[in-house]
mmCIF file of all heavy atoms in Angstrom:
data_model
loop_
_atom_site.group_PDB
_atom_site.id
_atom_site.type_symbol
_atom_site.label_atom_id
_atom_site.label_comp_id
_atom_site.label_asym_id
_atom_site.label_seq_id
_atom_site.Cartn_x
_atom_site.Cartn_y
_atom_site.Cartn_z
ATOM 1 N N GLU A 267 29.790 78.683 92.876
ATOM 2 C CA GLU A 267 28.979 78.058 93.931
ATOM 3 C C GLU A 267 28.896 76.536 93.716
ATOM 4 O O GLU A 267 28.953 75.774 94.672
ATOM 5 C CB GLU A 267 27.565 78.664 93.929
ATOM 6 C CG GLU A 267 27.492 80.107 94.381
ATOM 7 C CD GLU A 267 27.754 80.270 95.882
ATOM 8 O OE1 GLU A 267 27.865 79.247 96.588
ATOM 9 O OE2 GLU A 267 27.869 81.426 96.336
ATOM 10 N N LEU A 268 28.777 76.147 92.458
ATOM 11 C CA LEU A 268 28.713 74.712 92.163
ATOM 12 C C LEU A 268 30.015 74.029 92.538
ATOM 13 O O LEU A 268 30.017 72.970 93.169
ATOM 14 C CB LEU A 268 28.405 74.509 90.679
ATOM 15 C CG LEU A 268 28.236 73.053 90.224
ATOM 16 C CD1 LEU A 268 27.032 72.414 90.916
ATOM 17 C CD2 LEU A 268 28.065 72.987 88.711
ATOM 18 N N ARG A 269 31.137 74.660 92.190
ATOM 19 C CA ARG A 269 32.437 74.065 92.492
ATOM 20 C C ARG A 269 32.711 74.033 93.992
ATOM 21 O O ARG A 269 33.466 73.194 94.481
ATOM 22 C CB ARG A 269 33.545 74.836 91.780
ATOM 23 C CG ARG A 269 33.575 74.615 90.269
ATOM 24 C CD ARG A 269 34.624 75.487 89.596
ATOM 25 N NE ARG A 269 34.631 75.281 88.165
ATOM 26 C CZ ARG A 269 35.336 74.342 87.531
ATOM 27 N NH1 ARG A 269 36.101 73.517 88.245
ATOM 28 N NH2 ARG A 269 35.284 74.218 86.222
ATOM 29 N N SER A 270 32.103 74.941 94.734
ATOM 30 C CA SER A 270 32.323 74.970 96.186
ATOM 31 C C SER A 270 31.349 74.058 96.929
ATOM 32 O O SER A 270 31.270 74.100 98.150
ATOM 33 C CB SER A 270 32.201 76.402 96.705
ATOM 34 O OG SER A 270 30.868 76.884 96.524
ATOM 35 N N GLY A 271 30.595 73.267 96.181
ATOM 36 C CA GLY A 271 29.699 72.299 96.826
ATOM 37 C C GLY A 271 28.358 72.855 97.212
ATOM 38 O O GLY A 271 27.720 72.342 98.149
ATOM 39 N N GLN A 272 27.896 73.899 96.524
ATOM 40 C CA GLN A 272 26.598 74.495 96.809
ATOM 41 C C GLN A 272 25.710 74.401 95.567
ATOM 42 O O GLN A 272 25.373 75.424 94.927
ATOM 43 C CB GLN A 272 26.769 75.961 97.219
ATOM 44 C CG GLN A 272 27.590 76.188 98.458
ATOM 45 C CD GLN A 272 26.888 75.638 99.692
ATOM 46 O OE1 GLN A 272 25.669 75.661 99.773
ATOM 47 N NE2 GLN A 272 27.669 75.127 100.644
ATOM 48 N N PRO A 273 25.291 73.169 95.169
ATOM 49 C CA PRO A 273 24.510 73.021 93.936
ATOM 50 C C PRO A 273 23.165 73.728 93.998
ATOM 51 O O PRO A 273 22.653 74.187 92.975
ATOM 52 C CB PRO A 273 24.344 71.511 93.800
ATOM 53 C CG PRO A 273 24.512 70.966 95.183
ATOM 54 C CD PRO A 273 25.513 71.866 95.835
ATOM 55 N N GLY A 274 22.563 73.824 95.195
ATOM 56 C CA GLY A 274 21.267 74.493 95.316
ATOM 57 C C GLY A 274 21.355 75.962 94.952
ATOM 58 O O GLY A 274 20.514 76.506 94.220
ATOM 59 N N VAL A 275 22.405 76.622 95.459
ATOM 60 C CA VAL A 275 22.601 78.040 95.166
ATOM 61 C C VAL A 275 22.935 78.218 93.692
ATOM 62 O O VAL A 275 22.408 79.111 93.011
ATOM 63 C CB VAL A 275 23.722 78.624 96.050
ATOM 64 C CG1 VAL A 275 23.988 80.087 95.674
ATOM 65 C CG2 VAL A 275 23.354 78.506 97.518
ATOM 66 N N ALA A 276 23.828 77.355 93.194
ATOM 67 C CA ALA A 276 24.209 77.420 91.778
ATOM 68 C C ALA A 276 22.980 77.263 90.887
ATOM 69 O O ALA A 276 22.831 77.978 89.879
ATOM 70 C CB ALA A 276 25.225 76.331 91.469
ATOM 71 N N PHE A 277 22.105 76.334 91.264
ATOM 72 C CA PHE A 277 20.889 76.097 90.488
ATOM 73 C C PHE A 277 20.051 77.362 90.385
ATOM 74 O O PHE A 277 19.617 77.762 89.291
ATOM 75 C CB PHE A 277 20.095 74.961 91.129
ATOM 76 C CG PHE A 277 18.734 74.732 90.530
ATOM 77 C CD1 PHE A 277 18.590 73.962 89.394
ATOM 78 C CD2 PHE A 277 17.599 75.305 91.099
ATOM 79 C CE1 PHE A 277 17.329 73.766 88.833
ATOM 80 C CE2 PHE A 277 16.344 75.120 90.542
ATOM 81 C CZ PHE A 277 16.210 74.333 89.406
ATOM 82 N N GLN A 278 19.815 78.015 91.516
ATOM 83 C CA GLN A 278 18.967 79.210 91.528
ATOM 84 C C GLN A 278 19.595 80.347 90.714
ATOM 85 O O GLN A 278 18.905 81.022 89.932
ATOM 86 C CB GLN A 278 18.735 79.674 92.972
ATOM 87 C CG GLN A 278 17.919 78.712 93.816
ATOM 88 C CD GLN A 278 16.490 78.577 93.327
ATOM 89 O OE1 GLN A 278 15.983 79.420 92.587
ATOM 90 N NE2 GLN A 278 15.832 77.497 93.724
ATOM 91 N N VAL A 279 20.911 80.551 90.869
ATOM 92 C CA VAL A 279 21.591 81.645 90.169
ATOM 93 C C VAL A 279 21.561 81.419 88.661
ATOM 94 O O VAL A 279 21.231 82.310 87.875
ATOM 95 C CB VAL A 279 23.048 81.769 90.671
ATOM 96 C CG1 VAL A 279 23.838 82.738 89.794
ATOM 97 C CG2 VAL A 279 23.070 82.234 92.123
ATOM 98 N N LEU A 280 21.887 80.179 88.247
ATOM 99 C CA LEU A 280 21.965 79.893 86.815
ATOM 100 C C LEU A 280 20.583 79.795 86.178
ATOM 101 O O LEU A 280 20.414 80.135 84.995
ATOM 102 C CB LEU A 280 22.760 78.602 86.588
ATOM 103 C CG LEU A 280 24.243 78.686 86.972
ATOM 104 C CD1 LEU A 280 24.920 77.331 86.811
ATOM 105 C CD2 LEU A 280 24.969 79.745 86.138
ATOM 106 N N LEU A 281 19.591 79.329 86.945
ATOM 107 C CA LEU A 281 18.237 79.282 86.403
ATOM 108 C C LEU A 281 17.728 80.697 86.125
ATOM 109 O O LEU A 281 17.083 80.951 85.096
ATOM 110 C CB LEU A 281 17.296 78.551 87.363
ATOM 111 C CG LEU A 281 15.820 78.488 86.940
ATOM 112 C CD1 LEU A 281 15.665 77.812 85.577
ATOM 113 C CD2 LEU A 281 14.982 77.755 87.995
ATOM 114 N N ASP A 282 18.042 81.619 87.028
ATOM 115 C CA ASP A 282 17.646 83.015 86.805
ATOM 116 C C ASP A 282 18.310 83.563 85.538
ATOM 117 O O ASP A 282 17.671 84.251 84.729
ATOM 118 C CB ASP A 282 18.036 83.858 88.019
ATOM 119 C CG ASP A 282 17.658 85.321 87.834
ATOM 120 O OD1 ASP A 282 16.448 85.619 87.806
ATOM 121 O OD2 ASP A 282 18.578 86.145 87.702
ATOM 122 N N ALA A 283 19.573 83.211 85.365
ATOM 123 C CA ALA A 283 20.288 83.661 84.166
ATOM 124 C C ALA A 283 19.675 83.052 82.910
ATOM 125 O O ALA A 283 19.527 83.731 81.885
ATOM 126 C CB ALA A 283 21.767 83.283 84.280
ATOM 127 N N ALA A 284 19.306 81.773 82.985
ATOM 128 C CA ALA A 284 18.698 81.114 81.825
ATOM 129 C C ALA A 284 17.369 81.761 81.476
ATOM 130 O O ALA A 284 17.046 81.967 80.292
ATOM 131 C CB ALA A 284 18.514 79.627 82.121
ATOM 132 N N ARG A 285 16.584 82.095 82.486
ATOM 133 C CA ARG A 285 15.292 82.737 82.227
ATOM 134 C C ARG A 285 15.492 84.103 81.571
ATOM 135 O O ARG A 285 14.737 84.512 80.685
ATOM 136 C CB ARG A 285 14.517 82.879 83.536
ATOM 137 C CG ARG A 285 13.824 81.598 83.990
ATOM 138 C CD ARG A 285 13.125 81.812 85.302
ATOM 139 N NE ARG A 285 12.219 80.715 85.633
ATOM 140 C CZ ARG A 285 12.053 80.221 86.845
ATOM 141 N NH1 ARG A 285 12.761 80.731 87.860
ATOM 142 N NH2 ARG A 285 11.207 79.251 87.060
ATOM 143 N N ARG A 286 16.508 84.844 82.038
ATOM 144 C CA ARG A 286 16.768 86.192 81.501
ATOM 145 C C ARG A 286 17.203 86.138 80.046
ATOM 146 O O ARG A 286 16.829 86.986 79.245
ATOM 147 C CB ARG A 286 17.839 86.890 82.337
ATOM 148 C CG ARG A 286 17.357 87.384 83.698
ATOM 149 C CD ARG A 286 18.523 87.939 84.496
ATOM 150 N NE ARG A 286 19.270 88.941 83.712
ATOM 151 C CZ ARG A 286 20.522 89.296 83.973
ATOM 152 N NH1 ARG A 286 21.171 88.735 84.974
ATOM 153 N NH2 ARG A 286 21.113 90.215 83.231
ATOM 154 N N THR A 287 17.984 85.092 79.712
ATOM 155 C CA THR A 287 18.562 85.049 78.368
ATOM 156 C C THR A 287 17.787 84.159 77.404
ATOM 157 O O THR A 287 17.874 84.346 76.186
ATOM 158 C CB THR A 287 19.997 84.507 78.437
ATOM 159 O OG1 THR A 287 19.968 83.159 78.957
ATOM 160 C CG2 THR A 287 20.864 85.381 79.328
ATOM 161 N N GLY A 288 17.058 83.175 77.934
ATOM 162 C CA GLY A 288 16.392 82.203 77.061
ATOM 163 C C GLY A 288 17.386 81.320 76.333
ATOM 164 O O GLY A 288 17.069 80.740 75.287
ATOM 165 N N ASP A 289 18.581 81.193 76.894
ATOM 166 C CA ASP A 289 19.638 80.407 76.260
ATOM 167 C C ASP A 289 19.421 78.908 76.533
ATOM 168 O O ASP A 289 19.413 78.486 77.692
ATOM 169 C CB ASP A 289 21.002 80.849 76.796
ATOM 170 C CG ASP A 289 22.147 80.181 76.072
ATOM 171 O OD1 ASP A 289 22.436 79.014 76.394
ATOM 172 O OD2 ASP A 289 22.730 80.809 75.168
ATOM 173 N N GLU A 290 19.258 78.105 75.474
ATOM 174 C CA GLU A 290 18.958 76.677 75.650
ATOM 175 C C GLU A 290 20.121 75.911 76.277
ATOM 176 O O GLU A 290 19.916 75.003 77.068
ATOM 177 C CB GLU A 290 18.571 76.041 74.312
ATOM 178 C CG GLU A 290 17.247 76.564 73.775
ATOM 179 C CD GLU A 290 16.592 75.558 72.848
ATOM 180 O OE1 GLU A 290 16.171 74.475 73.331
ATOM 181 O OE2 GLU A 290 16.512 75.851 71.654
ATOM 182 N N ALA A 291 21.343 76.281 75.910
ATOM 183 C CA ALA A 291 22.502 75.600 76.498
ATOM 184 C C ALA A 291 22.545 75.833 78.009
ATOM 185 O O ALA A 291 22.902 74.935 78.782
ATOM 186 C CB ALA A 291 23.788 76.112 75.842
ATOM 187 N N LEU A 292 22.150 77.035 78.429
ATOM 188 C CA LEU A 292 22.148 77.351 79.856
ATOM 189 C C LEU A 292 21.030 76.591 80.577
ATOM 190 O O LEU A 292 21.228 76.078 81.685
ATOM 191 C CB LEU A 292 21.986 78.859 80.032
ATOM 192 C CG LEU A 292 22.336 79.441 81.411
ATOM 193 C CD1 LEU A 292 23.666 78.939 81.906
ATOM 194 C CD2 LEU A 292 22.326 80.976 81.324
ATOM 195 N N PHE A 293 19.849 76.499 79.956
ATOM 196 C CA PHE A 293 18.779 75.684 80.546
ATOM 197 C C PHE A 293 19.231 74.217 80.678
ATOM 198 O O PHE A 293 18.964 73.567 81.680
ATOM 199 C CB PHE A 293 17.518 75.762 79.684
ATOM 200 C CG PHE A 293 16.644 76.933 79.996
ATOM 201 C CD1 PHE A 293 16.402 77.927 79.051
ATOM 202 C CD2 PHE A 293 16.037 77.051 81.242
ATOM 203 C CE1 PHE A 293 15.578 79.004 79.336
ATOM 204 C CE2 PHE A 293 15.214 78.132 81.540
ATOM 205 C CZ PHE A 293 14.986 79.117 80.582
ATOM 206 N N ARG A 294 19.891 73.748 79.649
ATOM 207 C CA ARG A 294 20.375 72.365 79.660
ATOM 208 C C ARG A 294 21.337 72.148 80.833
ATOM 209 O O ARG A 294 21.294 71.141 81.519
ATOM 210 C CB ARG A 294 21.054 72.071 78.329
ATOM 211 C CG ARG A 294 21.243 70.598 78.020
ATOM 212 C CD ARG A 294 21.883 70.416 76.649
ATOM 213 N NE ARG A 294 21.052 70.954 75.583
ATOM 214 C CZ ARG A 294 21.417 71.955 74.782
ATOM 215 N NH1 ARG A 294 22.596 72.544 74.938
ATOM 216 N NH2 ARG A 294 20.603 72.372 73.827
ATOM 217 N N ARG A 295 22.198 73.160 81.045
ATOM 218 C CA ARG A 295 23.165 73.092 82.141
ATOM 219 C C ARG A 295 22.455 73.072 83.495
ATOM 220 O O ARG A 295 22.820 72.322 84.395
ATOM 221 C CB ARG A 295 24.101 74.314 82.050
ATOM 222 C CG ARG A 295 25.079 74.491 83.196
ATOM 223 C CD ARG A 295 26.102 73.414 83.227
ATOM 224 N NE ARG A 295 27.155 73.711 84.194
ATOM 225 C CZ ARG A 295 27.827 72.776 84.848
ATOM 226 N NH1 ARG A 295 27.567 71.487 84.638
ATOM 227 N NH2 ARG A 295 28.776 73.107 85.703
ATOM 228 N N VAL A 296 21.436 73.880 83.654
ATOM 229 C CA VAL A 296 20.706 73.954 84.930
ATOM 230 C C VAL A 296 20.005 72.624 85.222
ATOM 231 O O VAL A 296 20.037 72.123 86.356
ATOM 232 C CB VAL A 296 19.683 75.109 84.900
ATOM 233 C CG1 VAL A 296 18.863 75.118 86.180
ATOM 234 C CG2 VAL A 296 20.403 76.436 84.732
ATOM 235 N N VAL A 297 19.361 72.048 84.220
ATOM 236 C CA VAL A 297 18.704 70.746 84.408
ATOM 237 C C VAL A 297 19.727 69.699 84.808
ATOM 238 O O VAL A 297 19.495 68.886 85.715
ATOM 239 C CB VAL A 297 17.964 70.317 83.118
ATOM 240 C CG1 VAL A 297 17.463 68.869 83.249
ATOM 241 C CG2 VAL A 297 16.803 71.245 82.825
ATOM 242 N N ASP A 298 20.898 69.738 84.171
ATOM 243 C CA ASP A 298 21.945 68.765 84.472
ATOM 244 C C ASP A 298 22.441 68.916 85.904
ATOM 245 O O ASP A 298 22.682 67.922 86.600
ATOM 246 C CB ASP A 298 23.101 68.941 83.478
ATOM 247 C CG ASP A 298 24.151 67.862 83.653
ATOM 248 O OD1 ASP A 298 23.792 66.676 83.572
ATOM 249 O OD2 ASP A 298 25.336 68.204 83.869
ATOM 250 N N ILE A 299 22.583 70.143 86.369
ATOM 251 C CA ILE A 299 23.009 70.380 87.760
ATOM 252 C C ILE A 299 22.007 69.748 88.731
ATOM 253 O O ILE A 299 22.380 69.075 89.703
ATOM 254 C CB ILE A 299 23.164 71.891 88.033
ATOM 255 C CG1 ILE A 299 24.391 72.436 87.295
ATOM 256 C CG2 ILE A 299 23.268 72.173 89.533
ATOM 257 C CD1 ILE A 299 24.493 73.958 87.312
ATOM 258 N N ALA A 300 20.728 69.962 88.489
ATOM 259 C CA ALA A 300 19.701 69.404 89.378
ATOM 260 C C ALA A 300 19.710 67.879 89.350
ATOM 261 O O ALA A 300 19.590 67.219 90.391
ATOM 262 C CB ALA A 300 18.328 69.933 88.969
ATOM 263 N N LEU A 301 19.878 67.311 88.169
ATOM 264 C CA LEU A 301 19.882 65.844 88.059
ATOM 265 C C LEU A 301 21.093 65.249 88.768
ATOM 266 O O LEU A 301 20.981 64.218 89.445
ATOM 267 C CB LEU A 301 19.858 65.427 86.596
ATOM 268 C CG LEU A 301 18.548 65.685 85.854
ATOM 269 C CD1 LEU A 301 18.687 65.340 84.376
ATOM 270 C CD2 LEU A 301 17.406 64.872 86.473
ATOM 271 N N GLN A 302 22.256 65.901 88.616
ATOM 272 C CA GLN A 302 23.445 65.393 89.297
ATOM 273 C C GLN A 302 23.303 65.483 90.811
ATOM 274 O O GLN A 302 23.874 64.672 91.543
ATOM 275 C CB GLN A 302 24.677 66.165 88.830
ATOM 276 C CG GLN A 302 25.098 65.821 87.400
ATOM 277 C CD GLN A 302 26.407 66.462 87.017
ATOM 278 O OE1 GLN A 302 27.164 66.907 87.867
ATOM 279 N NE2 GLN A 302 26.673 66.505 85.722
ATOM 280 N N ALA A 303 22.533 66.456 91.270
ATOM 281 C CA ALA A 303 22.276 66.598 92.711
ATOM 282 C C ALA A 303 21.106 65.725 93.167
ATOM 283 O O ALA A 303 20.687 65.801 94.314
ATOM 284 C CB ALA A 303 22.000 68.056 93.039
ATOM 285 N N ARG A 304 20.575 64.910 92.234
ATOM 286 C CA ARG A 304 19.422 64.044 92.517
ATOM 287 C C ARG A 304 18.213 64.851 93.003
ATOM 288 O O ARG A 304 17.474 64.424 93.895
ATOM 289 C CB ARG A 304 19.782 62.955 93.540
ATOM 290 C CG ARG A 304 20.897 62.036 93.065
ATOM 291 C CD ARG A 304 21.199 60.955 94.088
ATOM 292 N NE ARG A 304 22.295 60.119 93.655
ATOM 293 C CZ ARG A 304 22.185 59.055 92.850
ATOM 294 N NH1 ARG A 304 20.997 58.726 92.381
ATOM 295 N NH2 ARG A 304 23.243 58.340 92.517
ATOM 296 N N ALA A 305 18.058 66.015 92.442
ATOM 297 C CA ALA A 305 16.944 66.896 92.803
ATOM 298 C C ALA A 305 15.953 66.906 91.639
ATOM 299 O O ALA A 305 15.960 67.824 90.801
ATOM 300 C CB ALA A 305 17.453 68.295 93.119
#
């Protein structure tokens, strides 16, 4: 979704995954996606 230009959808999907796993690298990735989208 991120590669297809849908950062909002990618954010929601990956944030859910980060919450499920508690993986810090994944949380870091989600924050970075939002920042790159200026959100």
Side-chain angles (χ1 to χ4, degrees):
E267 291 289 353
L268 183 63
R269 288 176 181 273
S270 65
Q272 299 293 327
V275 176
F277 173 84
Q278 294 294 341
V279 170
L280 294 176
L281 177 58
D282 179 68
R285 280 178 168 141
R286 285 175 52 201
T287 62
D289 186 281
E290 293 205 67
L292 196 48
F293 274 117
R294 197 178 298 118
R295 174 67 171 150
V296 176
V297 171
D298 186 56
I299 289 170
L301 290 175
Q302 288 187 17
R304 299 181 182 275

